Amino acid sequence: MGRCFQIALAASTACLLSGCMSYGETVVYQLYQTNADRCAQNETDACVAMLQSSCDAPASVCTNYAPEFQAQASRQLSRACQSNDDASCHALDAVACDNGDSAVCDRLREDYARLYSSCKLGDASDCESLSLSVWPKAQTDLAINQCENGDTIACRVASSSASAMKVTVDKNAQFATF
């Protein structure tokens, strides 16, 4: 971890202990921290969740912590991709597509279609590749829709695809004090 991230982590931990975060802010922060820990352990889906997530918390939490966590996830995936980890490279492509890179989106749609067709023809390794890969949000949404229409292959993709972390908490909730 970078020195800046360690300082932010120490500051946020001190803040948590001293009570300067509301309960809602603490929940949001802890979810980011959990994904940051998983990402650091090379869990690609956690890195992607961090990069795809939008912070649903008070501005102080989003500006102080979310960018650090997202930068850490980006560095982790980039290092792994440079070390020839295909899953991390594919995950970075999914994020690039989500961020509007149409050339990458086209390539991922072609990859998905190729794997899907092969899986449908009974190639178990392509079925596994299809369901274990991280796909862009649009592809995941399509798989969810196809699953709802009874497509079992799409259901495997939908159930295993990493999705953006959606946090729904009462941002102003406080710990009860008696």
Side-chain angles (χ1 to χ4, degrees), residues 105-141:
C105 290
D106 291 344
R107 185 169 36 82
L108 290 176
R109 272 193 295 277
E110 289 172 13
D111 288 349
Y112 185 92
R114 180 184 49 77
L115 289 170
Y116 181 92
S117 295
S118 180
C119 177
K120 199 161 186 87
L121 292 173
D123 186 326
S125 66
D126 282 348
C127 289
E128 185 172 338
S129 293
L130 184 67
S131 64
L132 293 179
S133 294
V134 175
W135 297 100
K137 289 179 186 179
Q139 195 67 53
T140 302
D141 290 345

Side-chain angles (χ1 to χ4, degrees), residues 8 13 21 42 47 51 56 58 65 80 82 86 89-90 93-94 101 122 144 157-158 168 175:
T13 302
M21 276 191 196
N42 295 321
C47 296
L51 289 172
D56 182 26
Y65 307 116
Q82 289 168 356
D86 289 337
C89 294
H90 186 87
D93 283 348
D101 189 326
I144 290 168
V157 172
T168 307
F175 288 108

